Amino acid sequence: NNEEEVLQYGGRYERKIRVFCRIRPVSRTEDTQGEAVVVDKIDDYSVTVETPRGPREFQFDKVFSAEVSQEDLFHDTYLIQSAIDGYNVCIFAYGQTGSGKTFTMVGDKEQKNPGIIPRSFNAIFDIIRENSTKFDFKVSAYMLELYNDKLQDLFVSLAGEAHAQPQSHGQARRVEIKRNRKGVVFAQGAETKEASSAQELYALFQQACANRHISATMNVESSRSHLIVGIMVESRNQTNGSVITGKLSLVDLAGSERAAKTGAKDHQLKEANSINKSLSALGDVISALSAELPHVPYRNSKLTQYATRVKAITNNAQRNVESKEIAQLKEVIMKLRSGQTVEEEDV
Ligand SMILES: Nc1ncnc2c1ncn2[C@@H]1O[C@H](COP(=O)(O)OP(=O)(O)OP(=O)(O)O)[C@@H](O)[C@H]1O
């Protein structure tokens, strides 16, 4: 194992990128409409998907069946210690609209089944408590939304800003993705807030969520923007004064779907195109990282400028039609893993 190629966590060595597949349970509506289940978990690492061209097999680092609880999923994707140890860790959910990205990342509305984001908040402060006799910690966060290729600071209320500065909205607080000399990506111009407990961090998160864009017609629950939560954990060693900073990025991506299928018009079409463009740029970055290509096309979209160290959670829904983008992405990754050649048109 070359140390450059791996990230150590929990005492084990792992590859830089891991892709998980979570199968969502069939919804009540799908059940009453008698819709067919098209995803089948073969073992812990592979699924078959029914496609118009017949069944196709896809490989993952781990496959979670529909019965897997939020707690077990969090346990198996646990990377919080790495972030506290000074690594840059990113967990994101990718999938078609309605496939369960928000459920996985955030949880249900009532928070009876909290997802990765609130569980991470708790885990960060649990680790801090356990180490408080040796280290002094500082936790801060920024929360952003990427909507139609514009970054919006979610700590700044849209309504409040627009009211105060109708002409210069979006200009006054321009957020830009930058990389510092150490190669660490940061959001320049974004407000950063400190939190001293998991509850405080969650309150900041709720405040940020209240400022998000939601497309009203296609699906009320459907988020049409990418949500980016960045948590910086600074730890100062009480004995020798050395300071290390790690970062945990938690991202709930907008749903991927073909614009034509959504029946979207005008601004919705712009939304769908922008989402698909950034998701396909993300696919290119993942492919380049997996293949260890010398050039990784981070600059192609704001979303991928963000994704320098990615840990992926792929959500894959039990739906009749599989998203073309997801299918292509998975196929490319599978080919790369098995050492097959990837043609340009595949990517
Ligand atoms: N593992 C799961 N167990 C139980 N319910 C789930 C699960 N995954 C998703 N759901 C439910 O399925 C519905 C759609 O999920 P969700 O809103 O998370 O999808 P999404 O991928 O975030 O969609 P969008 O791209 O539109 O934001 C929700 O009602 C959610 O509660």
Side-chain angles (χ1 to χ4, degrees):
N1 277 346
N2 176 352
E3 281 207 357
E4 286 294 304
E5 311 297 337
V6 293
L7 178 75
Q8 189 181 19
Y9 98 106
R12 284 177 292 158
Y13 281 98
E14 296 290 335
R15 282 193 306 278
K16 269 183 184 171
I17 298 181
R18 287 185 298 152
V19 183
F20 302 106
C21 168
R22 183 182 203 181
I23 299 170
R24 165 171 74 68
V26 175
S27 74
R28 207 173 293 161
T29 323
E30 288 164 337
D31 200 26
T32 48
Q33 288 175 354
E35 293 194 21
V37 173
V38 295
V39 185
D40 187 27
K41 179 181 165 186
I42 305 169
D43 55 37
D44 278 351
Y45 311 100
S46 39
V47 294
T48 49
V49 179
E50 291 300 332
T51 77
R53 283 169 287 159
R56 303 185 69 176
E57 195 176 319
F58 297 97
Q59 312 284 327
F60 295 92
D61 290 288
K62 179 126 188 186
V63 175
F64 298 101
S65 66
E67 295 77 37
V68 166
S69 68
Q70 296 281 67
E71 191 178 356
D72 288 346
L73 183 114
F74 181 67
H75 184 258
D76 280 3
T77 57
Y78 190 79
L79 292 155
I80 313 300
Q81 185 67 55
S82 303
I84 293 179
D85 290 345
Y87 289 96
N88 280 308
V89 174
C90 177
I91 301 177
F92 67 83
Y94 181 99
Q96 218 169 296
T97 290
S99 57
K101 298 182 295 298
T102 303
F103 184 85
T104 298
M105 294 306 293
V106 183
D108 57 337
K109 274 209 193 80
E110 300 77 32
Q111 287 291 289
K112 282 188 191 138
N113 286 300
I116 288 175
I117 292 179
R119 283 176 195 273
S120 300
F121 295 171
N122 288 331
I124 288 171
F125 285 95
D126 285 348
I127 295 176
I128 287 178
R129 253 190 311 277
E130 282 162 22
N131 293 279
S132 61
T133 54
K134 293 184 197 126
F135 295 90
D136 296 323
F137 290 95
K138 191 175 110 184
V139 177
S140 55
Y142 60 76
M143 302 192 189
L144 307 173
E145 175 183 60
L146 182 59
Y147 177 72
N148 282 347
D149 222 28
K150 278 205 193 78
L151 273 168
Q152 173 73 37
D153 188 338
L154 290 176
F155 285 153
V156 179
S157 152
L158 260 182
E161 270 253 304
H163 183 68
Q165 296 159 324
Q167 298 308 318
S168 61
H169 176 52
Q171 310 251 314
R173 281 184 178 269
R174 200 183 164 86
V175 181
E176 285 192 83
I177 300 299
K178 298 271 177 197
R179 218 187 288 204
N180 70 14
R181 264 176 291 145
K182 286 184 183 161
V184 176
V185 170
F186 66 100
Q188 191 180 61
E191 191 166 338
T192 303
K193 295 197 177 187
E194 272 186 49
S196 55
S197 66
Q199 291 72 19
E200 260 183 54
L201 199 50
Y202 189 70
L204 290 176
F205 177 66
Q206 279 183 309
Q207 181 194 331
C209 289
N211 286 330
R212 287 190 76 182
H213 282 86
I214 303 259
S215 177
T217 45
M218 275 199 283
N219 170 1
V220 251
E221 298 297 324
S222 151
S223 5
R224 313 303 308 142
S225 62
H226 308 299
L227 168 74
I228 301 166
V229 174
I231 304 164
M232 284 69 67
V233 184
E234 190 183 289
S235 54
R236 199 182 67 86
N237 186 315
Q238 290 168 2
T239 316
N240 61 21
S242 65
V243 176
I244 52 167
T245 307
K247 192 166 122 192
L248 176 66
S249 301
L250 301 164
V251 182
D252 186 7
L253 293 175
S256 66
E257 57 237 298
R258 274 161 287 180
K261 276 207 77 209
T262 62
K265 295 220 164 55
D266 302 330
H267 81 280
Q268 283 180 353
L269 196 62
K270 192 175 162 206
E271 275 178 2
N273 284 339
S274 169
I275 292 166
N276 283 346
K277 206 175 98 197
S278 57
L279 290 175
S280 85
L282 181 64
D284 294 348
V285 165
I286 293 179
S287 302
L289 285 173
S290 308
E292 291 163 25
L293 298 179
H295 173 68
V296 180
Y298 290 123
R299 296 204 143 267
N300 289 357
S301 130
K302 286 210 174 63
L303 179 65
T304 54
Q305 286 169 25
Y306 192 84
T308 50
R309 287 276 189 275
V310 281
K311 288 276 162 188
I313 293 206
T314 296
N315 275 287
N316 189 6
Q318 288 175 317
R319 291 171 73 94
N320 282 338
V321 183
E322 216 212 7
S323 150
K324 203 171 138 210
E325 290 83 19
I326 301 176
Q328 281 174 341
L329 177 62
K330 286 189 295 194
E331 201 176 348
V332 166
I333 291 174
M334 199 172 74
K335 278 188 179 175
L336 291 166
R337 289 239 170 88
S338 59
Q340 292 175 43
T341 319
V342 174
E343 305 297 336
E344 203 167 86
E345 62 266 27
D346 285 337
V347 183

PDB file of all heavy atoms in Angstrom, residues 29-47:
ATOM      1  N   THR A  29     -46.655   4.439  -2.607  1.00  0.00           N
ATOM      2  CA  THR A  29     -47.238   4.748  -3.928  1.00  0.00           C
ATOM      3  C   THR A  29     -46.752   3.754  -4.971  1.00  0.00           C
ATOM      4  O   THR A  29     -47.533   3.224  -5.769  1.00  0.00           O
ATOM      5  CB  THR A  29     -46.821   6.177  -4.372  1.00  0.00           C
ATOM      6  OG1 THR A  29     -46.802   7.008  -3.236  1.00  0.00           O
ATOM      7  CG2 THR A  29     -47.701   6.723  -5.463  1.00  0.00           C
ATOM      8  N   GLU A  30     -45.439   3.490  -4.959  1.00  0.00           N
ATOM      9  CA  GLU A  30     -44.897   2.539  -5.934  1.00  0.00           C
ATOM     10  C   GLU A  30     -45.518   1.162  -5.735  1.00  0.00           C
ATOM     11  O   GLU A  30     -45.816   0.452  -6.692  1.00  0.00           O
ATOM     12  CB  GLU A  30     -43.366   2.446  -5.780  1.00  0.00           C
ATOM     13  CG  GLU A  30     -42.643   3.671  -6.282  1.00  0.00           C
ATOM     14  CD  GLU A  30     -41.201   3.747  -5.797  1.00  0.00           C
ATOM     15  OE1 GLU A  30     -40.864   3.133  -4.762  1.00  0.00           O
ATOM     16  OE2 GLU A  30     -40.408   4.449  -6.444  1.00  0.00           O
ATOM     17  N   ASP A  31     -45.748   0.808  -4.455  1.00  0.00           N
ATOM     18  CA  ASP A  31     -46.313  -0.492  -4.136  1.00  0.00           C
ATOM     19  C   ASP A  31     -47.739  -0.596  -4.654  1.00  0.00           C
ATOM     20  O   ASP A  31     -48.096  -1.570  -5.339  1.00  0.00           O
ATOM     21  CB  ASP A  31     -46.276  -0.673  -2.613  1.00  0.00           C
ATOM     22  CG  ASP A  31     -46.368  -2.125  -2.236  1.00  0.00           C
ATOM     23  OD1 ASP A  31     -45.970  -2.959  -3.066  1.00  0.00           O
ATOM     24  OD2 ASP A  31     -46.847  -2.424  -1.118  1.00  0.00           O
ATOM     25  N   THR A  32     -48.559   0.451  -4.376  1.00  0.00           N
ATOM     26  CA  THR A  32     -49.966   0.392  -4.813  1.00  0.00           C
ATOM     27  C   THR A  32     -50.073   0.452  -6.337  1.00  0.00           C
ATOM     28  O   THR A  32     -50.996  -0.102  -6.916  1.00  0.00           O
ATOM     29  CB  THR A  32     -50.812   1.530  -4.196  1.00  0.00           C
ATOM     30  OG1 THR A  32     -50.105   2.746  -4.358  1.00  0.00           O
ATOM     31  CG2 THR A  32     -51.110   1.313  -2.734  1.00  0.00           C
ATOM     32  N   GLN A  33     -49.113   1.115  -6.971  1.00  0.00           N
ATOM     33  CA  GLN A  33     -49.148   1.176  -8.436  1.00  0.00           C
ATOM     34  C   GLN A  33     -48.544  -0.076  -9.070  1.00  0.00           C
ATOM     35  O   GLN A  33     -48.468  -0.190 -10.298  1.00  0.00           O
ATOM     36  CB  GLN A  33     -48.416   2.426  -8.930  1.00  0.00           C
ATOM     37  CG  GLN A  33     -49.210   3.699  -8.638  1.00  0.00           C
ATOM     38  CD  GLN A  33     -48.449   4.959  -9.000  1.00  0.00           C
ATOM     39  OE1 GLN A  33     -47.282   4.905  -9.381  1.00  0.00           O
ATOM     40  NE2 GLN A  33     -49.103   6.093  -8.870  1.00  0.00           N
ATOM     41  N   GLY A  34     -48.094  -0.974  -8.225  1.00  0.00           N
ATOM     42  CA  GLY A  34     -47.566  -2.260  -8.711  1.00  0.00           C
ATOM     43  C   GLY A  34     -46.293  -2.123  -9.521  1.00  0.00           C
ATOM     44  O   GLY A  34     -46.035  -2.917 -10.433  1.00  0.00           O
ATOM     45  N   GLU A  35     -45.488  -1.109  -9.189  1.00  0.00           N
ATOM     46  CA  GLU A  35     -44.271  -0.910  -9.972  1.00  0.00           C
ATOM     47  C   GLU A  35     -43.240  -2.007  -9.678  1.00  0.00           C
ATOM     48  O   GLU A  35     -43.163  -2.519  -8.561  1.00  0.00           O
ATOM     49  CB  GLU A  35     -43.690   0.476  -9.690  1.00  0.00           C
ATOM     50  CG  GLU A  35     -44.612   1.563 -10.204  1.00  0.00           C
ATOM     51  CD  GLU A  35     -43.956   2.920 -10.269  1.00  0.00           C
ATOM     52  OE1 GLU A  35     -42.720   2.981 -10.309  1.00  0.00           O
ATOM     53  OE2 GLU A  35     -44.703   3.906 -10.278  1.00  0.00           O
ATOM     54  N   ALA A  36     -42.464  -2.316 -10.702  1.00  0.00           N
ATOM     55  CA  ALA A  36     -41.518  -3.424 -10.568  1.00  0.00           C
ATOM     56  C   ALA A  36     -40.245  -2.994  -9.854  1.00  0.00           C
ATOM     57  O   ALA A  36     -39.791  -1.871  -9.998  1.00  0.00           O
ATOM     58  CB  ALA A  36     -41.159  -3.933 -11.960  1.00  0.00           C
ATOM     59  N   VAL A  37     -39.701  -3.915  -9.065  1.00  0.00           N
ATOM     60  CA  VAL A  37     -38.400  -3.679  -8.434  1.00  0.00           C
ATOM     61  C   VAL A  37     -37.332  -4.057  -9.455  1.00  0.00           C
ATOM     62  O   VAL A  37     -37.341  -5.154  -9.995  1.00  0.00           O
ATOM     63  CB  VAL A  37     -38.259  -4.549  -7.161  1.00  0.00           C
ATOM     64  CG1 VAL A  37     -36.855  -4.447  -6.588  1.00  0.00           C
ATOM     65  CG2 VAL A  37     -39.299  -4.140  -6.131  1.00  0.00           C
ATOM     66  N   VAL A  38     -36.442  -3.103  -9.744  1.00  0.00           N
ATOM     67  CA  VAL A  38     -35.469  -3.368 -10.812  1.00  0.00           C
ATOM     68  C   VAL A  38     -34.043  -3.573 -10.308  1.00  0.00           C
ATOM     69  O   VAL A  38     -33.147  -3.879 -11.076  1.00  0.00           O
ATOM     70  CB  VAL A  38     -35.471  -2.224 -11.870  1.00  0.00           C
ATOM     71  CG1 VAL A  38     -36.791  -2.163 -12.604  1.00  0.00           C
ATOM     72  CG2 VAL A  38     -35.137  -0.878 -11.225  1.00  0.00           C
ATOM     73  N   VAL A  39     -33.854  -3.382  -8.970  1.00  0.00           N
ATOM     74  CA  VAL A  39     -32.496  -3.548  -8.431  1.00  0.00           C
ATOM     75  C   VAL A  39     -32.473  -4.784  -7.550  1.00  0.00           C
ATOM     76  O   VAL A  39     -33.367  -4.983  -6.731  1.00  0.00           O
ATOM     77  CB  VAL A  39     -32.091  -2.329  -7.567  1.00  0.00           C
ATOM     78  CG1 VAL A  39     -30.636  -2.451  -7.127  1.00  0.00           C
ATOM     79  CG2 VAL A  39     -32.294  -1.047  -8.335  1.00  0.00           C
ATOM     80  N   ASP A  40     -31.444  -5.599  -7.712  1.00  0.00           N
ATOM     81  CA  ASP A  40     -31.334  -6.799  -6.903  1.00  0.00           C
ATOM     82  C   ASP A  40     -29.927  -6.887  -6.329  1.00  0.00           C
ATOM     83  O   ASP A  40     -28.943  -6.858  -7.070  1.00  0.00           O
ATOM     84  CB  ASP A  40     -31.643  -8.019  -7.795  1.00  0.00           C
ATOM     85  CG  ASP A  40     -31.715  -9.287  -6.975  1.00  0.00           C
ATOM     86  OD1 ASP A  40     -32.041  -9.190  -5.769  1.00  0.00           O
ATOM     87  OD2 ASP A  40     -31.421 -10.364  -7.540  1.00  0.00           O
ATOM     88  N   LYS A  41     -29.850  -6.953  -4.991  1.00  0.00           N
ATOM     89  CA  LYS A  41     -28.531  -7.085  -4.361  1.00  0.00           C
ATOM     90  C   LYS A  41     -28.085  -8.529  -4.473  1.00  0.00           C
ATOM     91  O   LYS A  41     -28.763  -9.436  -3.993  1.00  0.00           O
ATOM     92  CB  LYS A  41     -28.648  -6.646  -2.886  1.00  0.00           C
ATOM     93  CG  LYS A  41     -27.359  -6.775  -2.131  1.00  0.00           C
ATOM     94  CD  LYS A  41     -27.498  -6.358  -0.680  1.00  0.00           C
ATOM     95  CE  LYS A  41     -26.294  -6.869   0.072  1.00  0.00           C
ATOM     96  NZ  LYS A  41     -26.357  -6.662   1.501  1.00  0.00           N
ATOM     97  N   ILE A  42     -26.941  -8.743  -5.116  1.00  0.00           N
ATOM     98  CA  ILE A  42     -26.456 -10.113  -5.291  1.00  0.00           C
ATOM     99  C   ILE A  42     -25.639 -10.523  -4.073  1.00  0.00           C
ATOM    100  O   ILE A  42     -25.796 -11.589  -3.506  1.00  0.00           O
ATOM    101  CB  ILE A  42     -25.562 -10.238  -6.548  1.00  0.00           C
ATOM    102  CG1 ILE A  42     -26.325  -9.739  -7.775  1.00  0.00           C
ATOM    103  CG2 ILE A  42     -25.088 -11.665  -6.747  1.00  0.00           C
ATOM    104  CD1 ILE A  42     -25.459  -9.585  -8.991  1.00  0.00           C
ATOM    105  N   ASP A  43     -24.707  -9.652  -3.678  1.00  0.00           N
ATOM    106  CA  ASP A  43     -23.927  -9.868  -2.458  1.00  0.00           C
ATOM    107  C   ASP A  43     -23.566  -8.498  -1.910  1.00  0.00           C
ATOM    108  O   ASP A  43     -24.093  -7.490  -2.380  1.00  0.00           O
ATOM    109  CB  ASP A  43     -22.682 -10.740  -2.742  1.00  0.00           C
ATOM    110  CG  ASP A  43     -21.815 -10.163  -3.840  1.00  0.00           C
ATOM    111  OD1 ASP A  43     -21.690  -8.923  -3.908  1.00  0.00           O
ATOM    112  OD2 ASP A  43     -21.263 -10.941  -4.644  1.00  0.00           O
ATOM    113  N   ASP A  44     -22.666  -8.441  -0.928  1.00  0.00           N
ATOM    114  CA  ASP A  44     -22.337  -7.159  -0.289  1.00  0.00           C
ATOM    115  C   ASP A  44     -21.671  -6.169  -1.233  1.00  0.00           C
ATOM    116  O   ASP A  44     -21.510  -4.997  -0.888  1.00  0.00           O
ATOM    117  CB  ASP A  44     -21.419  -7.387   0.916  1.00  0.00           C
ATOM    118  CG  ASP A  44     -22.226  -7.794   2.129  1.00  0.00           C
ATOM    119  OD1 ASP A  44     -23.473  -7.729   2.052  1.00  0.00           O
ATOM    120  OD2 ASP A  44     -21.617  -8.188   3.140  1.00  0.00           O
ATOM    121  N   TYR A  45     -21.261  -6.626  -2.400  1.00  0.00           N
ATOM    122  CA  TYR A  45     -20.499  -5.754  -3.303  1.00  0.00           C
ATOM    123  C   TYR A  45     -21.115  -5.581  -4.686  1.00  0.00           C
ATOM    124  O   TYR A  45     -20.591  -4.847  -5.504  1.00  0.00           O
ATOM    125  CB  TYR A  45     -19.058  -6.289  -3.456  1.00  0.00           C
ATOM    126  CG  TYR A  45     -18.450  -6.579  -2.107  1.00  0.00           C
ATOM    127  CD1 TYR A  45     -18.397  -7.880  -1.612  1.00  0.00           C
ATOM    128  CD2 TYR A  45     -17.994  -5.549  -1.299  1.00  0.00           C
ATOM    129  CE1 TYR A  45     -17.883  -8.142  -0.346  1.00  0.00           C
ATOM    130  CE2 TYR A  45     -17.491  -5.792  -0.039  1.00  0.00           C
ATOM    131  CZ  TYR A  45     -17.440  -7.093   0.437  1.00  0.00           C
ATOM    132  OH  TYR A  45     -16.954  -7.341   1.680  1.00  0.00           O
ATOM    133  N   SER A  46     -22.188  -6.294  -4.991  1.00  0.00           N
ATOM    134  CA  SER A  46     -22.723  -6.166  -6.349  1.00  0.00           C
ATOM    135  C   SER A  46     -24.246  -6.197  -6.406  1.00  0.00           C
ATOM    136  O   SER A  46     -24.903  -6.793  -5.551  1.00  0.00           O
ATOM    137  CB  SER A  46     -22.133  -7.246  -7.258  1.00  0.00           C
ATOM    138  OG  SER A  46     -22.017  -8.462  -6.574  1.00  0.00           O
ATOM    139  N   VAL A  47     -24.744  -5.495  -7.426  1.00  0.00           N
ATOM    140  CA  VAL A  47     -26.191  -5.479  -7.681  1.00  0.00           C
ATOM    141  C   VAL A  47     -26.420  -5.754  -9.165  1.00  0.00           C
ATOM    142  O   VAL A  47     -25.548  -5.502  -9.994  1.00  0.00           O
ATOM    143  CB  VAL A  47     -26.828  -4.098  -7.358  1.00  0.00           C
ATOM    144  CG1 VAL A  47     -26.781  -3.770  -5.890  1.00  0.00           C
ATOM    145  CG2 VAL A  47     -26.238  -2.969  -8.178  1.00  0.00           C
TER     146      VAL A  47
END
